[in-house]
Amino acid sequence: MSIVKRFLAAAGLLLAVAAAPAHAALKVLACEPEWGALVQELGGPLVDVAVATTAMQDPHQIQAKPSLIARTRNADLVVCTGAELEVGWLPVLLQQSGNARVQAGQPGNFAAADYVRKLEIPTSVDRSQGDVHAAGNPHIQTDPRNIGTVAVALAARLQQVDAANAAQYAQRATAFQQKWQAAVARWTQQAAPLRGVPVVSQHKGYVYLYDWLGIKEVAVLEPKPGVEPSAAHLQEVLATLKATPARMVIYSAYQDSRPAEWLGKNAGIAVVKIPFTVGGTDGAKDLFGLFDDTVARLLAGASPK
Amino acid sequence: MDSSWRSAGLVLCLAAGSAVAQPASDTQSLRREIDAMKADYEQRIKALEQRLQAAEDAQKAQPPTAAPATAAAPGAPLPPTAIAPPPQPVPSAQASTQSLLETSLILSGQYTRTSRDPADYRIRGFSLPPDAQIGPGTRGFSLAESELALTANIDPWFRGQANIAFEPDNSVSIEEAYVQTTSLGNGLTLKAGRFFSSVGYLNSQHAHTWDFADAPLAYQAMLGTQFNDDGLQVAWLAPTDQFFEIRGELGRGRSYPGTDSNRNGAGMSAISAHTGGDIGESQSWRAGLSYLNAKATNQDLSAFDPVGNPITNSFSGSTNVWIADAVWKWAPNGNATRTNFKLQGEYLHATRDGSLVADTTGAASSGSYRQAQSGWYLQGVYQFMPRWRVGLRTERLGYGTPDYGANAGLVGLDSGSPSKQTLMVDWNPSEFSRWRVQVAQDRARPGNPDWQWTLQYQMSLGVHGAHSY
């Protein structure tokens, strides 16, 4: 009898522990570091954020590993880029999570790219063109104006999912927008000398950045999106640069630096590593640092030696 | 307050639903669209300003004690009426990419060269059905298994998937065809139909995602190469930060080690438990333990008599298979694009227990039968540079001493342990294509080793494949 009682007590305790998170912070799983940072800005102590990837990882090439399945299982809200960036792994996470709240179409499923105007939407999708995304280029986070737009939608979503704290989210969102808009104006002004500067990119990952700052992309090191740069293609790019010179070659923190360095050396142009997302460089500690550092690195690369 | 948020959510949902496809845009229509959006937003901001003003006036008019009780936060929260409706998703110019039915086609073919004739392939010590798909298959050029996969959400509650395999001999088989729930919550997922059992690590993966061209000997000898069945599965994922999952299955038991038969109950039951996680940023792992029970009735098994003539025995009884599996993956900083390493191993232990009719066309003598079998494989696959991987697999089987009871003198016995060493190199021009060369030294049969060379391609068409772990 006492064993039964003890078992019941233990079961009760377990249930209490399991029920406890109902009053705890909103559990958010962000697919990429930039959205993790944004949720943190908008939610502060109200949210408990886990980030699925780091700035050192290629967001296309992630596997649905056990730790991510476990985090999806417990999430109240999943915040991802969308636009097929996570097409290889997010659907698997959602399927295996057994979590009804975060399935596509539910309030707990937020895709940032749904709220911004996408660029490079292909007229037709054919894999002979490489790993093109039918929904358009998914790397929307390289333009801070997109972050601002997404922040509005995300704040609304946080209020919807965690209605009890809606007022606090609204307040935090207003405060963030004020700070962010001022920062965007500052970055735009600082980056004015970059307008019209010709560059080479390693991956077609910066179309929004270029759109924002008026930078001109003259060549790409990957022969097709998602296809690793080959020696032959690098030679072609080098030949292209003889006719249309570029000021610098840009690659992201998570990418192999060797193709960019090879081109930099052979074409005699600056090689610029940009953080691409929060955590990509020491300076990119948060969203503000991300663009402080990106703009600073681009300006340094563009300045004549 | 609550209800207004709910209605805000409804507005959002409706907005999401209205994001319908639009025709491909040229610059002019894009500009028109943007202008229209601009005007629309300006109008909305004006309306919001008016509402805000009205709300502020209303608040001023109210006595301070009438502040809503829900306003626990310090400072004056905006009254709900003053908050902008949630932003609407931007309609994109693309035709809808999420079609109602997602299709993918795997095309695969191979060239096989073996030093011994595949026709007399068998795994010594393991008495298997005459139609068991074991060994290197046919020599020369052949179409390997090509597969059509169809997937879609059925409605808000169910999702369906079918995998139709086209065999090289022009036959078609249903590998998987199941429906599963998407909205049960609490970590629960129910599956019904035909599906690969979740026992072990490799079993639930489709052949084209394997790191070698063929299944390990242990799978060929104890799970009928890959165990799939018609039935039900319930999966439960624990609400913990550590991954812990249990899957239970009940099925017909239609394939080896079971047999299709005329019974109302379940011919197969299985349970598997898996756990896993990360070690720092660069490593991840998963390990598990599974159990499978399958019932067989009059299952034909190839064997030979004491002088070596082939005979067929008929087995009726139960088979229990235990599987321990583990996989460990490493990639610098968790970025597998350039280099990565994957180590995986499984150990299988099967006991077959029941009655056996020895030499059904000859002596047809009944007796008891019991045999404990085991086997393991260990493999490592290393991507040493982008696109290129090399893999090594080593494996060994053991079959103990079969107990044929009263039939002891009628069935011949094997000696020596089956083993196999396999080396594989593959080249992946993109995520969607692969070329592979594999060479194996196969000692499953008695006598000289069989040298098996395989040159294989596997291509994926259609929807983007899943990056399963």
Side-chain angles (χ1 to χ4, degrees):
Chain A
M1 189 65 193
S2 76
I3 289 172
V4 173
K5 259 187 195 162
R6 224 177 277 168
F7 176 78
L8 282 177
L13 193 70
L14 267 176
L15 275 177
V17 170
H23 305 287
L26 187 77
K27 286 199 165 191
V28 182
L29 175 66
C31 285
E32 290 85 19
E34 64 269 18
W35 308 130
L38 185 58
V39 173
Q40 200 61 66
E41 295 275 358
L42 296 174
L46 302 172
V47 291
D48 172 10
V49 186
V51 183
T53 60
T54 73
M56 296 302 137
Q57 296 168 356
D58 182 346
H60 298 96
Q61 304 289 347
I62 301 297
Q63 285 189 335
K65 56 183 185 173
S67 60
L68 296 183
I69 296 173
R71 282 179 207 164
T72 313
R73 154 76 167 93
N74 298 322
D76 299 306
L77 175 65
V78 169
V79 179
C80 294
T81 299
E84 299 175 17
L85 178 64
E86 304 94 351
V87 66
W89 49 284
L90 185 60
V92 187
L93 292 182
L94 297 180
Q95 271 160 36
Q96 299 201 4
S97 69
N99 181 349
R101 297 184 300 262
V102 298
Q103 298 299 322
Q106 295 296 316
N109 186 306
F110 181 87
D114 286 354
Y115 298 92
V116 302
R117 184 176 57 91
K118 284 174 286 297
L119 302 174
E120 292 185 343
I121 296 172
T123 46
S124 71
V125 181
D126 180 347
R127 290 247 168 83
S128 66
Q129 300 308 307
D131 192 8
V132 287
H133 299 267
N137 191 305
H139 305 293
I140 58 169
Q141 85 285 3
T142 55
D143 179 349
R145 297 170 304 179
N146 282 346
I147 304 262
T149 311
V150 171
V152 175
L154 185 54
R157 191 63 71 87
L158 285 164
Q159 297 172 47
Q160 185 190 357
V161 176
D162 189 7
N165 294 312
Q168 289 189 63
Y169 288 116
Q171 263 183 347
R172 294 193 69 97
T174 312
F176 173 76
Q177 282 297 348
Q178 272 170 4
K179 249 172 70 185
W180 190 253
Q181 296 311 336
V184 173
R186 192 179 75 235
W187 293 320
T188 310
Q189 197 190 3
Q190 280 171 354
L194 293 169
R195 186 154 295 276
V197 168
V199 301
V200 177
S201 347
Q202 177 143 342
H203 173 65
K204 270 203 157 296
Y206 320 116
V207 53
Y208 297 91
L209 176 72
Y210 299 164
D211 179 60
W212 168 44
L213 297 177
I215 292 174
K216 220 174 95 204
E217 185 178 77
V218 296
V220 184
L221 297 188
E222 286 183 355
K224 298 275 163 72
V227 177
E228 290 279 324
S230 63
H233 183 73
L234 287 179
Q235 291 288 357
E236 266 175 50
V237 172
L238 190 59
T240 312
L241 292 190
K242 293 228 165 69
T244 47
R247 199 85 65 83
M248 56 184 147
V249 52
I250 299 173
Y251 73 100
S252 305
Y254 72 86
Q255 286 167 331
D256 190 352
S257 63
R258 283 173 300 184
E261 270 158 15
W262 181 89
L263 188 80
K265 205 177 79 189
N266 286 279
I269 57 174
V271 181
V272 178
K273 171 168 107 170
I274 61 165
F276 197 59
T277 182
V278 174
T281 56
D282 290 342
K285 285 197 165 38
D286 58 14
L287 283 170
F288 292 92
L290 171 62
F291 289 98
D292 282 339
D293 199 44
T294 304
V295 169
R297 280 167 182 265
L298 290 173
L299 286 171
S303 66
K305 279 176 204 159
Chain B
M1 181 133 177
D2 222 359
S3 70
S4 73
W5 283 114
R6 225 169 275 153
S7 58
L10 191 70
V11 168
L12 187 80
C13 292
L14 286 173
S18 69
V20 287
Q22 290 186 356
S25 64
D26 53 31
T27 4
Q28 268 198 334
S29 74
L30 197 67
R31 198 165 293 151
R32 272 202 299 275
E33 240 180 74
I34 292 167
D35 287 342
M37 267 164 68
K38 239 191 223 164
D40 181 33
Y41 278 131
E42 266 163 20
Q43 235 176 3
R44 262 195 241 170
I45 287 166
K46 232 176 241 168
L48 281 172
E49 276 171 347
Q50 283 167 0
R51 283 168 71 186
L52 184 64
Q53 190 61 45
E56 270 171 5
D57 292 344
Q59 204 172 37
K60 268 183 212 149
Q62 275 176 353
T65 46
T70 48
L78 294 172
T81 46
I83 294 166
Q88 299 175 6
V90 176
S92 59
Q94 51 152 334
S96 171
T97 54
Q98 290 203 323
S99 59
L100 286 173
L101 191 60
E102 296 187 343
T103 316
S104 87
L105 179 66
I106 306 296
L107 291 182
S108 181
Q110 63 187 41
Y111 169 78
T112 310
R113 182 188 176 85
T114 63
S115 62
R116 295 183 61 179
D117 187 357
D120 62 19
Y121 191 88
R122 67 184 188 89
I123 302 171
R124 63 182 130 158
F126 290 81
S127 217
L128 297 173
D131 58 351
Q133 290 189 340
I134 53 172
T138 53
R139 278 167 155 174
F141 293 99
S142 68
L143 205 58
E145 189 178 282
S146 301
E147 180 188 304
L148 179 69
L150 305 167
T151 323
N153 286 325
I154 295 163
D155 58 21
W157 302 280
F158 299 102
R159 182 182 161 271
Q161 175 169 342
N163 293 72
I164 300 149
F166 304 99
E167 313 285 349
D169 62 1
N170 278 354
S171 64
V172 173
S173 69
I174 306 293
E175 271 191 346
E176 296 198 279
Y178 62 81
V179 295
Q180 72 181 142
T181 61
T182 56
S183 60
L184 281 185
N186 296 315
L188 280 170
T189 308
L190 276 174
K191 205 188 248 188
R194 177 172 300 178
F195 50 84
F196 285 126
S197 169
S198 288
V199 296
Y201 176 70
L202 273 186
N203 195 72
S204 56
Q205 301 179 8
H206 285 267
H208 63 90
T209 64
W210 293 348
D211 293 322
F212 289 84
D214 48 5
L217 285 180
Y219 269 65
Q220 297 185 28
M222 284 174 268
L223 288 175
T225 302
Q226 198 171 9
F227 187 79
N228 72 350
D229 205 4
D230 300 354
L232 295 168
Q233 183 191 70
V234 57
W236 181 70
L237 192 60
T240 50
D241 284 339
Q242 167 86 15
F243 171 83
F244 182 76
E245 186 191 57
I246 296 182
R247 286 176 192 252
E249 293 164 11
L250 276 181
R252 181 171 180 80
R254 53 182 278 277
S255 62
Y256 188 86
T259 54
D260 212 347
S261 71
N262 178 22
R263 60 173 93 80
N264 284 318
M268 179 282 288
S269 58
I271 186 159
S272 58
H274 285 96
T275 183
D278 296 340
I279 310 167
E281 265 178 17
S282 302
Q283 301 168 57
S284 59
W285 62 279
R286 196 187 90 144
L289 191 64
S290 315
Y291 166 79
L292 171 82
N293 174 275
K295 295 187 180 83
T297 311
N298 301 328
Q299 180 178 57
D300 280 350
L301 298 174
S302 297
F304 52 89
D305 66 17
V307 293
N309 295 318
I311 56 169
T312 302
N313 299 330
S314 176
F315 168 71
S316 296
S318 163
T319 308
N320 293 319
V321 187
W322 286 90
I323 307 169
D325 68 277
V327 56
W328 173 79
K329 294 186 185 185
W330 169 86
N333 293 317
N335 184 355
T337 318
R338 270 165 278 169
T339 56
N340 65 73
F341 180 71
K342 178 181 179 188
L343 182 70
Q344 90 187 48
E346 292 186 68
Y347 171 79
L348 282 77
H349 182 90
T351 47
R352 312 208 79 194
D353 200 349
S355 62
L356 185 121
V357 178
D359 195 4
T360 49
T361 55
S365 133
S366 297
S368 65
Y369 169 62
R370 187 182 157 79
Q371 184 171 11
Q373 309 164 327
S374 66
W376 56 266
Y377 74 88
L378 183 68
Q379 70 183 48
V381 176
Y382 179 50
Q383 178 172 313
F384 54 97
M385 60 184 284
R387 305 179 186 190
W388 287 90
R389 305 190 310 161
V390 59
L392 192 63
R393 178 175 70 188
T394 181
E395 46 190 325
R396 197 174 183 86
L397 301 181
Y399 47 85
T401 309
D403 176 4
Y404 282 105
N407 293 328
L410 296 172
V411 185
L413 298 180
D414 272 309
S415 64
S417 299
S419 68
K420 191 175 173 185
Q421 318 296 331
T422 313
L423 177 70
M424 171 293 286
V425 178
D426 68 21
W427 174 60
N428 304 274
S430 76
E431 205 184 325
F432 311 104
S433 62
R434 164 176 295 152
W435 288 88
R436 173 183 285 148
V437 179
Q438 177 174 312
V439 56
Q441 187 203 42
D442 187 322
R443 292 178 180 275
R445 281 172 283 188
N448 290 332
D450 184 22
W451 286 91
Q452 302 164 348
W453 291 85
T454 311
L455 176 65
Q456 186 188 38
Y457 68 81
Q458 287 169 332
M459 313 270 164
S460 153
L461 294 73
V463 294
H464 198 295
H467 302 174
S468 295
Y469 186 74

